[in-house]
Amino acid sequence: MENEQLGFFDNEQNEIEIITSDVKLDIAKAEFIEGKSLTWKELFSGFDTLKAITYSSGIGFISQLISEFREAEIIFGCEQVMSYSLQEVMAFQAVLNEKIRSSSSKDNILKKIEDKTLNLLVARKKLSHEKIYLLSSENGDKRVIMGSANMSYQAFKGFQRENIVYMDGDDAYEWYLEVYNSLKENCTDEISHKSLLVSDDCENLDELPVSKTVSVNKVLEIIPDSGEKDNVEFALDVANLSTKIKPFVPKADKKGIVALSPTKIKSMKNHAIEERNTENEKRKDFPRLIVDVEKQTVELNGKELDLSPGKEAIQNDISLFLQYLNGYENFHGDYEYMQQRYYEFANWFFCSPFMASIRDVANRYNQNLLPYPLFGIIYGQSKAGKTSFLETLLKMMIGQKTRINAPDFTRKSIDALRYEVQGAPIIVDDLTQTRFSQHAVETIKNDGFGFNDNMRNYPAVVISANDDVKA
């Protein structure tokens, strides 16, 4: 991908291609014979071999189910909405491994993997949403179970309603086996005995199933699913709004039941309005610069900006900025070096409203984020024009001078502002060495800010400090 440019405006074309696509779907035509009431054991009994695809699953039930078969193979998909980027694949596989490793049924599962009567595989690409169970026996009997039921007690012990259908015979089995094998060969990685023993967050990433596939194949392409963009955004929006509503929800009783009444709903509404007004009050002093790279528009405090100014206006602004930089010739010391560094900083500053969008694209395509920094620090001797310089840059960008004072800077406060303020940089003035060490360092290290919340508009943070901070 050396010569490949990351485009902001490719999504709309992709959506059009998907809408106009005539891809044929695999559809099984069936006839209804009868309805039955069966226990899960009756449904699965009489067979020796199990091959299954499941999403949400209960490890305890899996352990019990595979004990009914001489051999079993299970493909795990992820029940969460995912775009299947590399980081999501690795995180999903690590969490699944840990789920199995910490289960009370671990020993039974490990023993069966070790004696090669159980094979576990995990999704690397998006699998079908159907749940399939393929059963066969030495005497030639075959059965396909399908529907909405995942491999869990909730699904197969009557705790929730499920749509469960089964078909007996070779024709159905062979047709679904072909689907199963295609998914297995092209979309999965094998969970090894060792990976379950050493599973953790990151120290043993080389033991993850996908890492083992890479070690065998030498190279592996991970292609995120851009078609899931809307679903991912919807899931994140639900999660974010749920987090906002949670503080207003009445407490559950000792049985875990939340009792709602019209009065409590009204109270929740009033709390939500009060919280919104508080947030609006906090944001009042900060400009709302919204950069929409897909629509190619920029809004400042609700007003769309003209992105095609006249040549004379541009020349006038450049002339004024150069005059401003020339003013540093009146300073003492190596003013030429300072002019050059300030000019370099100004270039990053004016690009900073686009950093969130650029980083979002880079993250989705697994590119390096270092060329797109979100923090800028200007430090040096007192009275070197740092505060004036930053105020001038912000005035040039949005026509306002706004900053927060160093005593108000904490990781919590700055992260809260980054959620609320849009594209205009947040300027923190005169940060001390102590406060920098206590709050700024960890904030800067949080390089994944915005990704989990699917944010594409959040501000860069600019810090001015005296010379001692360089330590």
Side-chain angles (χ1 to χ4, degrees):
M1 293 187 60
E2 291 179 0
N3 298 320
E4 197 171 311
Q5 297 294 319
L6 301 181
F8 286 134
F9 308 108
D10 297 338
N11 292 337
E12 185 176 348
Q13 181 60 37
N14 291 342
E15 290 174 3
I16 293 172
E17 291 175 359
I18 292 170
I19 292 170
T20 57
S21 173
D22 290 325
V23 174
K24 293 186 181 292
L25 305 176
D26 291 331
I27 299 173
K29 181 181 178 181
E31 291 185 0
F32 180 80
I33 298 176
E34 62 175 326
K36 287 186 176 182
S37 294
L38 301 172
T39 66
W40 72 268
K41 282 196 174 184
E42 290 172 335
L43 181 62
F44 285 94
S45 67
F47 300 92
D48 308 312
T49 302
L50 165 70
K51 296 179 185 291
I53 301 172
T54 183
Y55 272 64
S56 178
S57 54
I59 304 304
F61 180 74
I62 288 174
S63 178
Q64 189 174 356
L65 179 60
I66 60 178
S67 297
E68 301 291 319
F69 295 89
R70 189 181 69 248
E71 294 181 358
E73 183 172 78
I74 302 169
I75 299 176
F76 293 95
C78 182
E79 67 267 29
Q80 302 298 326
V81 177
M82 298 201 331
S83 60
Y84 286 81
S85 61
L86 177 59
Q87 63 271 22
E88 286 178 327
V89 168
M90 299 187 89
F92 164 48
Q93 293 188 359
V95 171
L96 177 61
N97 275 8
E98 180 61 27
K99 183 179 178 182
I100 297 173
R101 189 173 74 92
S102 59
S103 167
S104 59
S105 304
K106 175 190 70 174
D107 291 341
N108 182 41
I109 291 174
L110 285 172
K111 181 178 181 299
K112 287 185 173 292
I113 293 176
E114 193 171 22
D115 63 23
K116 302 190 183 305
T117 60
L118 174 64
N119 191 27
L120 300 181
L121 302 121
V122 61
R124 185 192 336 118
K125 298 181 184 177
K126 183 169 64 174
L127 299 175
S128 63
H129 283 281
E130 59 193 340
K131 291 82 178 178
I132 301 175
Y133 305 85
L134 303 176
L135 316 179
S136 62
S137 65
E138 287 183 343
N139 64 13
D141 290 343
K142 294 183 175 66
R143 173 172 291 177
V144 177
I145 303 169
M146 53 195 173
S148 63
N150 278 301
M151 199 175 285
S152 66
Y153 284 116
Q154 284 76 14
F156 282 105
K157 290 206 170 183
F159 298 129
Q160 60 192 32
R161 291 191 61 84
E162 298 285 355
N163 178 32
I164 302 175
V165 177
Y166 77 86
M167 295 184 290
D168 289 334
D170 292 348
D171 292 343
Y173 185 90
E174 295 302 326
W175 194 82
Y176 279 102
L177 181 62
E178 188 175 339
V179 173
Y180 177 91
N181 286 334
S182 176
L183 293 172
K184 175 184 172 181
E185 292 169 11
N186 299 313
C187 307
T188 60
D189 304 305
E190 185 175 350
I191 300 175
S192 69
H193 186 275
K194 184 178 180 181
S195 72
L196 292 176
L197 293 177
V198 300
S199 172
D200 58 29
D201 286 342
C202 57
E203 286 184 11
N204 296 290
L205 287 180
D206 57 331
E207 293 296 338
L208 287 178
V210 66
S211 301
K212 289 304 180 184
T213 299
V214 172
S215 68
V216 173
N217 296 346
K218 304 306 179 187
V219 67
L220 182 69
E221 288 187 348
I222 300 290
I223 305 175
D225 181 7
S226 58
E228 282 290 345
K229 174 187 168 186
D230 290 341
N231 290 334
V232 171
E233 288 182 357
F234 180 80
L236 289 169
D237 288 344
V238 171
N240 291 339
L241 186 56
S242 172
T243 301
K244 282 190 174 183
I245 294 174
K246 184 178 179 180
F248 317 135
V249 174
K251 301 295 183 184
D253 61 20
K254 292 181 180 179
K255 295 181 179 179
I257 299 172
V258 176
L260 278 180
S261 65
T263 303
K264 289 182 178 179
I265 292 289
K266 185 176 181 180
S267 175
M268 289 173 62
K269 173 186 173 182
N270 291 337
H271 280 302
I273 293 173
E274 184 179 339
E275 182 67 20
R276 184 199 63 193
N277 291 340
T278 300
E279 288 181 359
N280 288 341
E281 190 66 26
K282 289 179 182 177
R283 290 198 302 259
K284 187 172 64 175
D285 294 331
F286 289 89
R288 293 180 62 79
L289 184 70
I290 301 175
V291 178
D292 191 323
V293 295
E294 293 181 356
K295 294 181 180 177
Q296 302 186 49
T297 61
V298 178
E299 286 185 6
L300 177 59
N301 298 326
K303 182 180 179 181
E304 188 168 330
L305 301 183
D306 179 10
L307 301 183
S308 301
K311 186 176 180 180
E312 290 183 1
I314 296 173
Q315 289 176 334
N316 183 62
D317 285 352
I318 293 173
S319 175
L320 290 172
F321 182 56
L322 292 176
Q323 287 180 46
Y324 176 85
L325 287 179
N326 289 337
Y328 285 109
E329 294 176 5
N330 298 319
F331 282 62
H332 296 288
D334 189 359
Y335 67 84
E336 291 181 342
Y337 174 77
M338 183 174 65
Q339 285 175 317
Q340 183 63 35
R341 298 308 305 275
Y342 275 9
Y343 177 74
E344 292 171 358
F345 194 91
N347 277 271
W348 169 81
F349 188 95
F350 291 135
C351 290
S352 68
F354 300 94
M355 287 298 174
S357 294
I358 295 172
R359 287 167 64 86
D360 175 67
V361 175
N363 179 60
R364 283 190 281 118
Y365 286 88
N366 301 309
Q367 300 298 297
N368 188 0
L369 299 177
L370 290 179
Y372 318 114
L374 285 171
F375 287 84
I377 302 174
I378 289 187
Y379 65 89
Q381 295 180 4
S382 180
K383 304 187 183 303
K386 299 185 297 294
T387 300
S388 171
F389 174 64
L390 294 177
E391 287 183 344
T392 300
L393 293 183
L394 197 60
K395 182 77 173 178
M396 289 179 66
M397 180 186 286
I398 57 172
Q400 293 178 240
K401 292 182 180 180
T402 180
R403 65 177 188 265
I404 66 172
N405 294 319
D408 298 323
F409 180 91
T410 64
R411 175 171 180 175
K412 184 177 180 180
S413 67
I414 207 69
D415 278 353
L417 276 175
R418 293 170 80 191
Y419 276 106
E420 298 299 334
V421 177
Q422 299 287 335
I426 298 171
I427 295 177
V428 184
D429 196 31
D430 280 339
L431 198 65
T432 63
Q433 169 68 42
T434 301
R435 190 161 288 273
F436 184 90
S437 300
Q438 290 177 345
H439 300 284
V441 173
E442 287 305 313
T443 307
I444 293 169
K445 284 184 178 180
N446 182 21
D447 206 38
F449 180 88
F451 294 145
N452 290 337
D453 300 310
N454 207 37
M455 295 170 64
R456 293 188 183 135
N457 261 302
Y458 49 89
V461 178
V462 181
I463 297 171
S464 76
N466 288 332
D467 200 47
D468 61 340
V469 168
K470 72 181 180 183

